Amino acid sequence: MPDVPEPVVKLVRWTAEPAAVQILRSATAAVISYVVAVWLLPNPAPLTAPLTALLVVQVTLYSTLTTGISRVNAVVAGVLIAIGFSALVGLSWWSLGLIILTSLLIGRFVRAGEFEIEVAISAMLVLGVTRVAHTAWDRVFETLIGAVVGLLFNALAPPVWVQSAGESIESMARRMGALFRDIGGEVAGHLPVERAAARLHEARRLDHDIAEVDASLRQAEDSLRWNPRVREGALSRIVLRTGLDTLEICAVVLRVLSRTLTDLAKHRTTEHLLDDDVSEEMERLMDHIAHAVESFAVLITSQVTANAQAAEDHLAQALSDSTKSRDTIARLLLATVQEHPRQWQLYGALLAEVDRILDELGLEKRSERLVEELDRIGGEPSDRHPRIAMVKRRLTAAGLYRRAADVRKIFK
C-alpha cells in the first residue's frame, strides 16, 4: 500500500477538527439560505438571507439555541430601521451616522443583549443594498429565511470541542510541570534574587494561561449541552471543570511557592539557598510534583479508559514519590533549623505549600470535588440525570475516588 503524502494527512486531520467542521457548516448554511431565498422571493440578490445565516450559526448547538433568538431580534430590528431610512432619506454621510445612533439606541430597547452592535451592522448593510422602499420588506423575509436555516442547519451533527479543551488543559499542565522542574534545578547552590524574581514572574503569568484554558473549557461545556452526539455530557463537564479547578489551585500555590523561594533568596544573598543534601532532594521532589501535575491533566482529559488507567497509575506513583521526598526534606530541614534557626518560617511555608499541592492532586480530594459538583447540580438528579445520581451514590459510598478508570467507563 503506497504511503499517503504528508500534506494529504494534514488535510484529513484538519477537516476532522471542530473548527474545520464549523467553517464548512457556516458556508453551507449561507449557501442554502441563499438558494431558499432565491426560490421563495422575487428579489434577484437576497444577500440578507446568507448574512443572517452566518450571524445565527454559532460554534456550538447550545449557543445557537440560546443566542439565536437574540441575534434574530437584533438583525430584524436593524432591517426595519434600514427600511424606514431607505424610504425617507436614503444613504448619505449624515444619514449613516444617524442610523448608527438610532440602531444602538433601539438595540437597548429590543433587548438585543450582547448583539446590540449587530443592530447597527445589519441596518448599515441592508441600507446599502436596499435603495427602493417597495423591495425593502423582502429583506425581512430574507432575514427570517436565513435565521431558520441557520438554526436548523447547526442542529445537524454539532461539533464537540472537548478534545481541544483537553489539549489546552494538558498544555497548561506541561507548562506548570516545566516551571516546577526549573525551580528544582535552581535551588542548588546560590540563587540570585533576580533569577528567583524572574521565576516568580513566570508563575504569575500562569493566570493568563488559566483564563485562556477556562474560555476553551466553557466552549467545550457549551458544545456538550443539548448535543445529540454526546451521552451524559454533564458528567464530562463535571470531570473537566473540577479538574481545571484543581490545576488552578495548584497554579496559585506554585506562585506562592515561588514567592517563598524569592523571599528566601533575599535573606541568603551570599549563601546557598539550601544545604546540598536538601537541594538535591528538593530537585527530586519538584520533578515528582511535575510528573504528578502532568499525569493529573492526562487523567481528567483522557477519553480512553486505558489511558485513564495508565494516567492514574502514574499519578499515584508520582504522589507516593513526592510524599517520600517531602518527608525526607522535612527531616533535613528540621536538623538545619535546630542548628541555624534563621528563616525557619520560610522553611515551614515551603513545606506547607508542597503539602497543599499534594493534597489537591490526591484522589481523595478529587472525590470530594466531584461529589460537591454533583450536589451543586441540584434538582432531582435521579430523574433528570440518572447516571449522575449513580456516580454520586458510588462516590459517596466508597468515600474516595478509588479508580478514575471505573468512573470513565460510566462517562462513556
Side-chain angles (χ1 to χ4, degrees), residues 224-243:
L224 292 173
R225 291 187 174 97
W226 304 345
N227 194 325
R229 299 173 54 193
V230 179
R231 293 176 52 194
E232 295 295 337
L235 290 172
S236 296
R237 295 201 307 270
I238 290 173
V239 171
L240 291 174
R241 175 56 62 184
T242 55

Side-chain angles (χ1 to χ4, degrees), residues 53-244:
L54 288 175
L55 294 174
V56 170
V57 174
Q58 294 294 295
V59 176
T60 66
L61 175 63
Y62 174 78
S63 57
T64 296
L65 296 176
T66 55
T67 66
I69 295 177
S70 297
R71 281 185 177 273
V72 173
N73 194 21
V75 173
V76 171
V79 170
L80 294 176
I81 293 171
I83 289 173
F85 272 80
S86 64
L88 297 176
V89 297
L91 179 61
S92 62
W93 66 267
W94 63 269
S95 65
L96 178 62
L98 186 59
I99 196 175
I100 293 175
L101 179 61
T102 303
S103 299
L104 293 177
L105 290 175
I106 293 180
R108 294 292 183 94
F109 289 100
V110 299
R111 296 183 179 181
E114 59 182 306
F115 306 113
E116 289 179 4
I117 191 64
E118 292 187 8
V119 179
I121 293 174
S122 301
M124 287 188 294
L125 291 175
V126 174
L127 184 63
V129 297
T130 304
R131 307 301 295 273
V132 183
H134 67 81
T135 64
W137 284 102
D138 291 336
R139 308 301 174 186
V140 177
F141 297 109
E142 293 173 22
T143 300
L144 296 177
I145 291 173
V148 172
V149 172
L151 289 171
L152 294 179
F153 195 86
N154 204 42
L156 301 175
V160 178
W161 294 85
V162 173
Q163 182 177 356
S164 60
E167 291 173 354
S168 299
I169 292 175
E170 292 185 23
S171 178
M172 184 189 71
R174 287 192 294 269
R175 289 193 294 273
M176 291 175 60
L179 190 53
F180 275 115
R181 292 187 179 93
D182 290 342
I183 292 176
E186 292 177 349
V187 294
H190 172 62
L191 177 62
V193 177
E194 295 77 10
R195 189 186 303 172
R199 197 64 63 212
L200 175 60
H201 179 68
E202 292 182 21
R204 288 171 175 167
R205 289 175 58 185
L206 286 174
D207 291 341
H208 178 69
D209 296 335
I210 291 174
E212 292 181 348
V213 175
D214 183 70
S216 178
L217 181 54
R218 285 198 302 270
Q219 184 183 58
E221 290 173 333
D222 286 348
S223 71
L224 292 173
R225 291 187 174 97
W226 304 345
N227 194 325
R229 299 173 54 193
V230 179
R231 293 176 52 194
E232 295 295 337
L235 290 172
S236 296
R237 295 201 307 270
I238 290 173
V239 171
L240 291 174
R241 175 56 62 184
T242 55
L244 180 59

Side-chain angles (χ1 to χ4, degrees), residues 9-27:
V9 175
K10 291 182 179 180
L11 178 61
V12 173
R13 290 176 179 173
W14 181 81
T15 54
E17 292 293 324
V21 174
Q22 183 60 25
I23 291 174
L24 296 175
R25 185 194 314 280
S26 300

